[in-house]
Amino acid sequence: MSDHFQEIYDRLFARFGPQQWWPGETPLEVMVGAVLTQNTNWQNVEKAIENLKEAGLLSFQALLELPTAELAWQIKPSGYYNIKAGRLHNLLQMIAERYEGELDLLLAQSTADARQALLSVKGVGPETADSILLYAGGHPTFVVDSYTHRIFSRHQLVDEVTDYHSIQDRFHDQLPLDSRLFNEYHALIVAAAKTYCKKKNPDCDHCPLNGI
DNA sequence: CACCAGGCAAGTA
DNA sequence: TACTTGCATGGT
């Protein structure tokens, strides 16, 4: 396992340019998007968030007071809408009970404390928690997704059989703990993944990291 | 028609 | 502990 993580970032940035993530105007919108995008493409999430905006429901209090069944109806285009409505309500209730309904108070804590609070919510796993920490709170924690595992294991930069935090540890060890770097890096991996061949072929020309 | 998309939790053995 | 399955819409 070589330490090419910075070089890979540079190569991806040179090829794809700045990605301007996260597409959300407020920390609350980022948090909602982070739950809605679980195993779902972003286009569908945009439809769901647009529904909430048009209904005037994209505020903490409105979402908290909205019955779960109605929330589910609003976010229907994002798929898994019953599950996600429950998960969002779990999150909102935790923030209401422990942080006076202020997401910013949660995010103002240390990365470790904020992460623990997010992970205590049923429906918030490591990727969703890190997405909220990084993209809503500016915390320097790397967001690992299935693309990260697929691409980096294909190039033998992480083990093929590994877990979320082992991969995350590699990024945290190999790179400066810089939220702007982690922000762009994760987004670049998503951009790169879309151009990769589906069949493993490290030598193809158009796959972004061939030759690494 | 099949397959995938910016996961997670619960059930089974 | 290590798999497997349910959740669900919309685009290709």
Side-chain angles (χ1 to χ4, degrees), chain A residues 12-51:
Chain A
L12 292 177
F13 189 88
R15 172 146 176 185
F16 296 103
Q19 299 295 303
Q20 316 279 3
W21 274 29
W22 184 291
E25 296 174 10
T26 64
L28 177 70
E29 186 174 336
V30 173
M31 183 181 84
V32 170
V35 171
L36 295 186
T37 198
Q38 290 171 357
N39 204 40
T40 300
N41 72 50
W42 185 254
Q43 272 196 327
N44 286 3
V45 176
E46 285 182 318
K47 299 179 204 290
I49 289 181
E50 191 55 33
N51 286 349

Side-chain angles (χ1 to χ4, degrees), chain A residues 35-36 59 83 85 95 153-154 165-166 171 176 184 194 211-212:
Chain A
V35 171
L36 295 186
S59 73
I83 293 284
I95 294 169
S153 66
R154 183 183 296 191
H165 292 103
S166 299
F171 283 82
E184 198 63 43
K194 295 175 180 174
I212 294 280

Side-chain angles (χ1 to χ4, degrees), chain A residues 168-188:
Chain A
Q168 186 180 54
D169 286 347
R170 297 297 311 282
F171 283 82
H172 288 180
D173 290 344
Q174 299 292 331
L175 297 164
L177 294 178
D178 177 346
S179 64
R180 289 191 305 172
L181 173 66
F182 288 175
N183 177 323
E184 198 63 43
Y185 207 153
H186 171 64
L188 285 167

Side-chain angles (χ1 to χ4, degrees), chain A residues 47-74:
Chain A
K47 299 179 204 290
I49 289 181
E50 191 55 33
N51 286 349
L52 292 174
K53 283 186 176 175
E54 286 183 2
L57 293 170
L58 196 53
S59 73
F60 187 91
Q61 279 305 319
L63 289 173
L64 182 64
E65 292 165 8
L66 194 65
T68 308
E70 289 186 29
L71 178 55
W73 172 254
Q74 294 289 337

